[in-house]
Amino acid sequence: MVSTKTVRLAQLSMLSALVVVLQLMSYSIKIGPFGLSFVLIPIVIGGALFGLRAGATLGGVFGIVVVLCCVFGLDVGGNMLWSINPFLTAAICIGKGVAAGLAGAAVSLAFRKAGKPTLGVFLSAVTVPVVNTGLFLGCLSTFFYDTLVVWAAGQNVVYYILTGIILVNFLPELAVNMILSPVAQRVIAALRKNR
């Protein structure tokens, strides 16, 4: 008989592989210089199933893949940031991923303990992209403001953030997460039942 720990490790490994594949695929679906991150749902599922450490780990896997894509030029905007400051770019990419996974897992766990797991998964699916994009924008505005001005190409920077990043990139990611949260809930329920 297979141990619970082995099953958990196998499921976490499968979610990690899914994170890698979905993140790499996201670079083929671009709106402006940014790829849409459909990768966030496996992070939500892992955090809801296995807790804070799993959420942070899956977020970290996401961040590492983003860093590699910055290094190898798949992420054009990230490659620009990498050429300016590699250490800071890596810290931002990995840090925002870990924080998003941790925050999503915390939300899911809190609502599960309150007896509202479905609401927890939905709010976790909202939390992960909010934290991911929020930290990215905060770090971009703080540490790479001159690059942000270049990306704005003469537009007001706040207008560019609102239209070029939030409207065109963040809102579609958020919508996908919200739409897929019932599917995530079914996957979580099925995996919990089979433990």
Side-chain angles (χ1 to χ4, degrees):
M1 184 164 188
V2 181
S3 74
T4 304
K5 191 173 183 179
T6 303
V7 170
R8 176 187 162 130
L9 182 60
Q11 290 173 340
L12 197 54
S13 297
M14 286 173 35
L15 287 169
S16 295
L18 193 56
V19 164
V20 171
V21 169
L22 288 174
Q23 184 57 32
L24 290 174
M25 283 177 47
S26 75
Y27 292 108
S28 64
I29 306 169
K30 287 194 178 287
I31 298 177
F34 303 103
L36 294 179
S37 294
F38 299 114
V39 67
L40 303 177
I41 282 293
I43 296 170
V44 169
I45 292 171
L49 273 174
F50 304 118
L52 299 174
R53 194 168 17 168
T57 299
L58 290 167
V61 170
F62 162 58
I64 290 167
V65 173
V66 172
V67 169
L68 292 173
C69 290
C70 291
V71 172
F72 295 111
L74 283 172
D75 184 327
V76 177
N79 187 257
M80 287 176 67
L81 300 178
W82 180 263
S83 68
I84 295 166
N85 189 330
F87 175 76
L88 189 55
T89 301
I92 291 168
C93 291
I94 295 169
K96 73 181 180 64
V98 169
L102 193 61
V107 167
S108 186
L109 182 63
F111 279 88
R112 185 169 162 220
K113 285 183 178 178
K116 299 187 182 296
T118 302
L119 180 60
V121 170
F122 177 78
L123 292 176
S124 176
V126 170
T127 300
V128 172
V130 167
V131 171
N132 182 56
T133 301
L135 286 176
F136 175 70
L137 287 176
C139 291
L140 187 62
S141 299
T142 303
F143 302 113
F144 293 101
Y145 184 78
D146 292 339
T147 304
L148 189 56
V149 169
V150 170
W151 288 352
Q155 297 175 18
N156 177 287
V157 172
V158 173
Y159 178 79
Y160 173 74
I161 289 172
L162 291 174
T163 59
I165 298 176
I166 293 178
L167 180 66
V168 174
N169 184 265
F170 167 71
L171 289 179
E173 287 178 1
L174 180 63
V176 165
N177 267 24
M178 291 169 69
I179 291 166
L180 292 179
S181 69
V183 174
Q185 179 58 42
R186 286 188 199 105
V187 169
I188 291 163
L191 290 173
R192 279 194 181 129
K193 197 180 292 185
N194 291 330
R195 281 196 208 176

